Amino acid sequence: GDSVTQMEGPVTLSEEAFLTINCTYTATGYPSLFWYVQYPGEGLQLLLKATKADDKGSNKGFEATYRKETTSFHLEKGSVQVSDSAVYFCALGLYSSASKIIFGSGTRLSIRP
Amino acid sequence: EAQVTQNPRYLITVTGKKLTVTCSQNMNHEYMSWYRQDPGLGLRQIYYSMNVEVTDKGDVPEGYKVSRKEKRNFPLILESPSPNQTSLYFCASSSGLRATNEKLFFGSGTQLSVL
């Protein structure tokens, strides 16, 4: 079935380190791909998205490229800040007979000053 | 301000006592959905609605009911809550029927504890 797999956390980095959070998916058809971020005590908010193969989504210094050949959508940032500490969710969206949005299990990121 | 409003934010109840978690959006969105968030499992969809009077089961609908009588409201009903429904619940909405291409707007969450 359709699914999203992302790297388990927690991930702990020092400020200004390079970040990669891996995400791979399994889907029939051509899904849209998303990264959502959840700050402590809040709901999820969209960080970036890509709707077709080779698209690159970017926002707030984060980037992810839709790789159809490897069914991946890895999240990267060149220099993380303490304020990036949050839980990150990879998700895919499918539309056939119904709208279906499937989330990964989330990766907790902690940044040390 | 565009927002999804859930109430209450925190709720403690006992097994079997019916409860309703309300969700309202002010963006005229057609698509609305309920999720539960559990450690290690991420977000799992409970029910969703693509328009007024149109609702469908998600991945974990057992023990829950929903209704969509008006476009802006999508309440989640637990007729007889059980301890395994203790979780963090989120309501979300999106514009258009092709919600899978569109951004989801989330409420702030409802932390439910069933004793």
Side-chain angles (χ1 to χ4, degrees), chain A residues 38-56:
Chain A
Q38 184 181 30
Y39 298 105
E42 298 183 9
L44 282 72
Q45 23 181 303
L46 180 68
L47 181 59
L48 53 85
K49 73 175 187 181
T51 57
K52 61 183 188 299
D54 299 325
D55 267 4
K56 178 187 279 189

Side-chain angles (χ1 to χ4, degrees), chain A residues 32 36 41 49 94 98 100, chain B residues 9 37 48 59 97 100-101 104:
Chain A
S32 298
Y36 281 84
K49 73 175 187 181
L94 293 164
K100 185 77 172 171
Chain B
R9 190 74 189 266
Q37 183 180 12
Y48 66 95
D59 296 315
L97 287 179
T100 49
N101 281 345
L104 278 172

Side-chain angles (χ1 to χ4, degrees), chain B residues 16-80:
Chain B
K17 186 175 181 182
K18 180 179 177 180
L19 66 91
T20 299
V21 184
T22 63
C23 175
S24 179
Q25 49 92 5
N26 64 359
M27 295 167 280
N28 202 37
H29 284 168
E30 290 169 342
Y31 181 91
M32 296 186 75
S33 182
W34 277 103
Y35 295 87
R36 59 178 289 173
Q37 183 180 12
D38 301 290
L41 297 176
L43 271 75
R44 293 179 293 167
Q45 191 175 45
I46 302 170
Y47 270 95
Y48 66 95
S49 168
M50 295 176 75
N51 214 327
V52 175
E53 302 292 3
V54 179
T55 61
D56 251 313
K57 295 178 181 178
D59 296 315
V60 288
E62 295 77 21
Y64 303 94
K65 282 175 57 176
V66 293
S67 68
R68 187 93 183 272
K69 294 187 172 60
E70 309 162 282
K71 201 171 191 179
R72 62 183 292 125
N73 295 324
F74 191 45
L76 179 70
I77 302 156
L78 284 72
E79 295 269 3
S80 182

Side-chain angles (χ1 to χ4, degrees), chain A residues 28-41:
Chain A
T28 51
Y30 303 95
S32 298
L33 299 173
F34 306 85
W35 277 100
Y36 281 84
V37 58
Q38 184 181 30
Y39 298 105

